[in-house]
Amino acid sequence: MDVHYMTQEGLDKLKKDLSEAIAQRPVISAQIAEARDKGDLSENAEYEAAREAQGLLELKISKLQNLVANARVIDESQIGTDKVQMLNKVKVKNLSNNQVSEFTLVGESEADFASGKLAATTPIGRALMGHSKGEIVDAKVPSGIIKFEILDITL
């Protein structure tokens, strides 16, 4: 069983997505029934498409239910800034190109690199976890190893 760490905001979004997906069940069932009423199922593309949509929806519902069931909400008041941990905003310098980046470490379901949210399960996220300001860490990425200096840890 995988535990999924997230913020309360992230859990609320997952629950909303789950309820919206469940609300789609009757719509797809109606599409299947309508397509079935059109006759020969062996050559009925509408029926096949509706059945495939139903399968994809059930897969999505199952995945969301698993995420919600295994969610652990992180208490933001318990987060410190002495070492990198979930929900910290981390400012790092890539020592190979001197580029400075800043991102917040979040759970996988909340990751959105474009808005500065990096999953803690990524190679860079894992490399930074547990380290302190001023330390140099090695992140093992597909293209090799990148050295980062931790410049700052904030909330």
Side-chain angles (χ1 to χ4, degrees), residues 81-95:
T81 56
D82 53 333
K83 292 189 180 297
V84 176
Q85 55 187 310
M86 292 286 287
L87 299 187
N88 278 147
K89 185 176 276 186
V90 185
K91 190 176 198 176
V92 295
K93 180 164 131 183
N94 179 332
L95 295 178

Side-chain angles (χ1 to χ4, degrees), residues 10-22:
L11 180 59
D12 292 345
K13 183 184 181 311
L14 279 180
K15 287 180 177 178
K16 180 176 175 268
D17 291 348
L18 177 59
S19 65
E20 287 172 0
I22 289 172

Side-chain angles (χ1 to χ4, degrees), residues 10-150:
L11 180 59
D12 292 345
K13 183 184 181 311
L14 279 180
K15 287 180 177 178
K16 180 176 175 268
D17 291 348
L18 177 59
S19 65
E20 287 172 0
I22 289 172
Q24 286 297 310
R25 278 179 168 158
V27 173
I28 290 182
S29 293
Q31 289 172 345
I32 290 172
E34 185 181 315
R36 191 180 302 128
D37 291 343
K38 292 184 178 173
D40 184 11
L41 297 181
S42 65
E43 294 180 15
N44 189 330
E46 281 181 53
Y47 177 76
E48 287 301 317
R51 294 282 302 161
E52 188 175 324
Q54 182 184 41
L56 292 172
L57 179 67
E58 291 304 321
L59 186 67
K60 179 179 180 179
I61 289 171
S62 174
K63 186 178 177 187
L64 288 169
Q65 285 173 328
N66 177 43
L67 284 170
V68 169
N70 296 310
R72 297 292 176 270
V73 176
I74 299 169
D75 182 354
E76 296 183 48
S77 68
Q78 300 297 315
I79 297 171
T81 56
D82 53 333
K83 292 189 180 297
V84 176
Q85 55 187 310
M86 292 286 287
L87 299 187
N88 278 147
K89 185 176 276 186
V90 185
K91 190 176 198 176
V92 295
K93 180 164 131 183
N94 179 332
L95 295 178
S96 61
N97 63 10
N98 287 328
Q99 182 179 343
V100 174
S101 304
E102 189 172 44
F103 41 79
T104 303
L105 290 173
V106 296
E108 235 173 279
S109 62
E110 294 180 81
D112 179 9
F113 196 73
S115 65
K117 293 182 177 181
L118 180 71
T121 54
T122 61
I124 294 172
R126 281 197 309 266
L128 294 172
M129 293 294 262
H131 290 278
S132 304
K133 182 177 173 179
E135 284 189 56
I136 293 175
V137 298
D138 294 337
K140 195 174 195 177
V141 297
S143 61
I145 293 178
I146 302 175
K147 288 187 178 296
F148 288 98
E149 180 182 355
I150 301 173

